[in-house]
Amino acid sequence: MKQPVLLKTILDICFILLALTFFSAVIIFIITISHGESFYPITVNGNILTEITPSTVILISAELVIGGLILYTVYIMRKLIRNFLKGKLYTSFQIATLNLVGKLIITITLAKGFIEFLEKILFESKVGVDLGMELSFGSFWFILAIGLFFIYLSKIFQNAKVLKEENELTV
C-alpha cells in the first residue's frame, strides 16, 4: 500500500494555518470585547457589528467553539493518518478515530446551520429556512454525507478487524 504522505502534508499545513487563524480570532475577539467595537470591526454574515450585545458575544463565542471543533477534527485526522503510516490496519484506534471524525463533522455541520439560523434572526430580523440545493462541496448536505461516510467507514473497519482476527485464528 502506498503511504499517504501527500495527505499527511496537506493535513499538517491545514492544521497549522487553522491553528494560527483560530488563535488570532480568539485574541482579536477578546481584545475587541475589552476595548469596544472601535478596536477591530467584527463582521457577521456580511453585517458589521455596530455594538456588542450579550447575544452577539454568545453567537461569536459559539462560532469560536465551532472553529475549535474544526481544529480538533483536523488534529484527530492528522493522528489517524500518522497511525496509518505505521503500516497496521484495522486497529481499535483507527476504528474509534474514524467514528469520532464522522461524529465531529456531523456535529459541526449541524451547529453551523443552527448558528446561521440564529444569526439571521438576530441580525436580519427575519426567520426562514433555506432548503435550496447548493451544488458545491461546501453544501450542508454534502458535508453531512461526508460525516456519515466516516462513521460507515469505521463500521467497515470494525467488520474487517473481526474478519482479520478470525482469519489469524484459523491459520
Side-chain angles (χ1 to χ4, degrees):
M1 181 173 94
K2 188 172 178 176
Q3 302 295 329
V5 176
L6 179 63
L7 180 58
K8 178 190 156 304
T9 306
I10 290 172
L11 281 174
D12 288 342
I13 292 169
C14 182
F15 179 74
I16 291 168
L17 293 175
L18 277 173
L20 289 173
T21 305
F22 175 72
F23 291 117
S24 311
V26 169
I27 290 169
I28 288 172
F29 178 62
I30 290 171
I31 293 172
T32 301
I33 287 177
S34 61
H35 286 66
E37 303 89 21
S38 61
F39 173 72
Y40 187 82
I42 296 177
T43 306
V44 177
N45 276 348
N47 301 322
I48 297 175
L49 295 181
T50 55
E51 62 179 284
I52 295 179
T53 62
S55 61
T56 58
V57 170
I58 291 171
L59 281 176
I60 294 171
S61 298
E63 289 277 358
L64 290 174
V65 168
I66 291 171
L69 285 174
I70 292 170
L71 184 65
Y72 179 66
T73 303
V74 173
Y75 172 75
I76 295 295
M77 290 175 74
R78 285 178 67 224
K79 286 180 71 170
L80 177 65
I81 295 302
R82 290 176 196 274
N83 190 274
F84 282 144
L85 287 173
K86 293 179 183 175
K88 291 186 178 179
L89 286 177
Y90 315 122
T91 64
S92 297
F93 174 79
Q94 293 168 353
I95 294 165
T97 305
L98 284 168
N99 194 14
L100 178 62
V101 167
K103 288 178 180 178
L104 283 170
I105 290 172
I106 291 170
T107 301
I108 290 166
T109 305
L110 292 175
K112 283 174 73 174
F114 182 70
I115 295 298
E116 286 177 16
F117 178 73
L118 287 179
E119 286 173 352
K120 280 186 181 180
I121 291 172
L122 290 175
F123 299 124
E124 297 175 13
S125 299
K126 65 179 183 180
V127 178
V129 176
D130 183 19
L131 294 176
M133 195 65 177
E134 186 179 330
L135 301 175
S136 70
F137 287 117
S139 75
F140 178 82
W141 299 109
F142 183 76
I143 295 173
L144 276 179
I146 295 290
L148 290 171
F149 175 74
F150 272 98
I151 293 172
Y152 182 69
L153 195 58
S154 76
K155 302 284 187 212
I156 291 172
F157 266 55
Q158 178 67 42
N159 289 342
K161 179 183 177 187
V162 169
L163 289 174
K164 180 181 171 189
E165 289 171 352
E166 288 176 1
N167 189 30
E168 289 173 354
L169 289 175
T170 59
V171 172

